[in-house]
Amino acid sequence: MGFPAGFMWGGASAANQCEGGIFEGGRGPANVDVCPSGADRHAVITGHRKMLRMDGEHRYPAAEAVDFYHRFREDIRLFGEMGFRTYRMSIAWTRIFPKGDEEYPSEEGLRFYDQVFAECRKYGIRPLVTISHFDCPIHLIEAYGGWRDRRMIECYLRLCRVLFERYRGQVRHWLTFNEINMILHAPFMGAGLCFEEGENEEQIKYQAAHHELVASALAVKLAHEIDPENQVGCMFAAGAAYPYSCRPEDVWEALLTDQENYFFVDVQARGAYPAYAVKRLQKKGVYPVMEKGDEEILGTYPVDFISFSYYNSRCIASEEQESAEGNLFRSAKNPYLKFSEWGWPIDPLGLRITLNQVYDRYQKPLFVVENGLGALDHPDETGYVEDDYRIDYLREHICAMKAAVEEDGVDLMGYTSWAPIDLISAGTGEMKKRYGFVYVDKQEDGSGTLNRTRKKSFYWYRKVIETNGEVL
């Protein structure tokens, strides 16, 4: 039986991690532009070091990234050669509205994405577009404080309207916010939040999250009004939370971790704040201020499907244990798993578990829109990389995904691996942490030709798509 006919195989990227060209085409500055590589990155992306301008002391990898802005035709041709049926990408908000609150959009920015979508059509690739992928105009941070201010909803919806109208018929699948739960872990990157000393950070994060949730629901409404064929999904950073042991305290902490992770999707898919969130946020004194009608908006316009990133499961302990890294999450080290070069657990069965948990909880179509292995690649003199470790990782995860569909009955729309080409790491800002099927000749210091070379995994993934996941 396997994967259904029409399964949406492809790859995923983000404008700020691959596009570059941040000073071209009339584009304005965004939060992701000023997130430096190096030791200060964590303080910036978490909102604890305010950096709204580039300085001469840091490197800003998003400035050039891997230059998709100038090389998109070559890149999309490579995606077509692999047989992609879909390409998950994001729109750079400040290409369309350089400041974020203008009345009219930039025609130059819109024309750029016209060309990108036309190139996708040439190869039969359907775009899956993330409207806001860790992306907030600097002007909106300076003027409003980012998503802490409700006026952001109007700015975001103006962007949505322009995109839905301009690309009607060209894009049918949309995601409102990338990894919306990351607002709790990287609030500057996720929502343009910078904190001042003495502020209640939890209250600000949940207030900003509420504004994004309302904006997401209103985007669903708008998308369906402009084109009833539009399908709009939410997106969160997923990964089952395992108890470190069968001690009830560990089981309880794992449950709390899962609830924190699912809170945003509970609202976007079920249309209301879940009882556990209401109680806990009220008890902490951080329940968000709502306007009249907010609850009705959330309840009336749930998402059509649920998408998520999966890189690893998490192991949760009630007492201090040796820790492991993860997708901006730290957790206890699971003694039963192997780990990547960056210390992330490798857990293919965890993807099957996560798919079952999410589908059981929501009963809506699912889409795995990020999954991949960040690794050090060692190209030969031609740029070719023999990346069997990446093939092994992806094979095992696709097998787990296939079992969830074939044996467990999970309704799965598609799979877009992270990432089709090497790009900048969101968490660390590194170039040496590579995910792609295509090697990009760019080094950690910014040097390199930017030439693209197919890795061994390129040819392997082409066969996977060609056989709809039968040959792995």
Side-chain angles (χ1 to χ4, degrees):
M1 191 172 83
F3 294 103
F7 190 75
M8 294 170 70
W9 294 99
S13 69
N16 67 85
Q17 291 169 261
C18 72
E19 206 171 272
I22 68 171
F23 304 112
E24 299 181 58
R27 183 185 179 283
N31 61 330
V32 283
D33 302 338
V34 296
C35 294
S37 57
D40 292 327
R41 186 176 181 87
H42 186 263
V44 172
I45 67 176
T46 55
H48 294 118
R49 174 169 178 164
K50 193 169 187 177
M51 183 180 284
L52 301 183
R53 295 286 181 274
M54 293 180 174
D55 61 31
E57 300 170 17
H58 294 84
R59 281 197 62 250
Y60 298 93
E64 184 183 49
V66 294
D67 199 29
F68 179 83
Y69 185 69
H70 294 108
R71 297 167 181 257
F72 67 89
R73 289 184 177 86
E74 177 186 3
D75 291 341
I76 293 170
R77 176 175 56 78
L78 287 166
F79 304 162
E81 188 181 330
M82 270 189 284
F84 279 19
R85 299 173 186 174
T86 191
Y87 170 40
R88 180 193 169 216
M89 53 170 282
S90 72
I91 299 285
W93 189 337
T94 54
R95 283 209 191 282
I96 311 304
F97 290 99
K99 293 174 65 178
D101 59 359
E102 296 95 335
E103 188 175 351
Y104 299 106
S106 162
E107 181 59 29
E108 190 172 2
L110 290 167
R111 278 200 305 269
F112 171 70
Y113 293 108
D114 281 334
Q115 295 174 75
V116 170
F117 296 142
E119 209 64 23
C120 287
R121 282 197 303 279
K122 187 189 295 186
Y123 299 99
I125 299 170
R126 288 175 286 174
L128 166 62
V129 173
T130 311
I131 298 165
S132 177
H133 191 127
F134 296 156
D135 194 4
C136 184
I138 289 289
H139 170 72
L140 299 185
I141 298 171
E142 292 177 323
Y144 307 142
W147 278 95
R148 69 172 70 200
D149 193 305
R150 193 179 176 94
R151 287 174 291 179
M152 288 289 294
I153 297 174
E154 182 183 346
C155 297
Y156 176 81
L157 291 175
R158 189 179 297 122
L159 171 67
C160 290
R161 179 175 290 280
V162 167
L163 298 182
F164 296 153
E165 290 179 346
R166 177 72 169 230
Y167 305 121
R168 177 173 179 168
Q170 299 181 66
V171 181
R172 288 276 168 74
H173 292 88
W174 304 88
L175 303 178
T176 54
F177 292 94
N178 177 68
E179 292 186 334
I180 191 168
N181 50 327
M182 282 300 185
I183 198 171
L184 301 179
H185 306 277
F188 178 73
M189 193 161 71
L193 302 180
C194 297
F195 302 111
E196 303 297 334
E197 193 173 341
E199 285 189 320
N200 186 332
E201 294 184 15
E202 286 287 289
Q203 196 279 325
I204 291 167
K205 286 191 283 190
Y206 280 105
Q207 187 65 56
H210 177 71
H211 295 151
E212 287 194 354
L213 291 167
V214 171
S216 179
L218 289 172
V220 173
K221 175 179 185 287
L222 192 60
H224 291 164
E225 288 172 350
I226 290 172
D227 185 354
E229 296 294 313
N230 277 332
Q231 293 282 297
V232 185
C234 60
M235 196 283 198
F236 76 113
Y242 303 155
Y244 184 74
S245 76
C246 55
R247 287 181 71 234
E249 291 82 2
D250 287 353
V251 176
W252 177 247
E253 288 300 322
L255 173 67
L256 294 180
T257 299
D258 267 339
Q259 287 183 331
E260 180 189 88
N261 224 22
Y262 287 131
F263 157 61
F264 298 92
V265 191
D266 282 350
V267 179
Q268 290 176 293
R270 291 173 163 172
Y273 276 57
Y276 66 83
V278 172
K279 289 290 186 184
R280 287 174 200 150
L281 295 181
Q282 285 177 341
K283 187 175 181 180
K284 288 182 178 179
V286 298
Y287 194 76
V289 175
M290 297 190 187
E291 287 195 359
K292 185 178 179 182
D294 281 1
E295 291 178 328
E296 184 181 355
I297 289 167
L298 296 174
T300 308
Y301 307 108
V303 292
D304 302 307
F305 66 95
I306 294 161
S307 75
F308 60 84
S309 59
Y310 177 86
Y311 294 98
N312 52 266
S313 57
R314 299 164 69 186
C315 193
I316 309 300
S318 57
E319 297 177 348
E320 190 72 24
Q321 302 290 344
E322 183 183 359
S323 66
E325 298 296 329
N327 184 16
L328 291 178
F329 303 111
R330 291 179 70 87
S331 59
K333 188 169 184 177
N334 189 326
Y336 299 99
L337 298 178
K338 295 177 182 178
F339 294 82
S340 76
E341 291 169 295
W342 268 262
W344 293 24
I346 297 174
D347 184 10
L349 181 56
L351 175 55
R352 183 177 181 180
I353 293 167
T354 300
L355 282 162
N356 274 273
Q357 286 180 341
V358 178
Y359 191 61
D360 287 351
R361 192 176 184 103
Y362 302 113
Q363 296 292 303
K364 284 180 180 277
L366 307 184
F367 204 135
V368 178
V369 293
E370 287 185 32
N371 170 242
L373 177 69
L376 288 167
D377 286 343
H378 302 285
D380 65 17
E381 64 280 359
T382 69
Y384 178 74
V385 177
E386 193 99 7
D387 57 340
D388 291 293
Y389 42 88
R390 182 167 291 111
I391 293 170
D392 291 343
Y393 176 97
L394 293 170
R395 178 190 293 117
E396 291 174 4
H397 283 77
I398 291 171
C399 283
M401 193 169 67
K402 188 176 182 181
V405 172
E406 201 170 53
E407 300 176 32
D408 308 332
V410 171
D411 182 359
L412 189 61
M413 299 166 62
Y415 173 82
T416 53
S417 75
W418 188 270
I421 60 172
D422 294 341
L423 37 64
I424 302 298
S425 165
T428 64
E430 293 173 307
M431 188 68 220
K432 65 183 179 182
K433 185 181 185 185
R434 298 177 181 272
Y435 285 89
F437 302 115
V438 176
Y439 182 82
V440 178
D441 179 25
K442 181 169 184 179
Q443 308 312 314
E444 205 60 33
D445 63 0
S447 65
T449 64
L450 292 170
N451 287 343
R452 273 67 164 148
T453 308
R454 300 163 186 81
K455 302 179 190 178
K456 185 177 182 179
S457 58
F458 178 100
Y459 304 100
W460 172 82
Y461 195 49
R462 183 168 69 183
K463 179 62 72 173
V464 171
I465 298 173
E466 184 185 310
T467 63
N468 201 31
E470 289 305 304
V471 176
L472 293 170

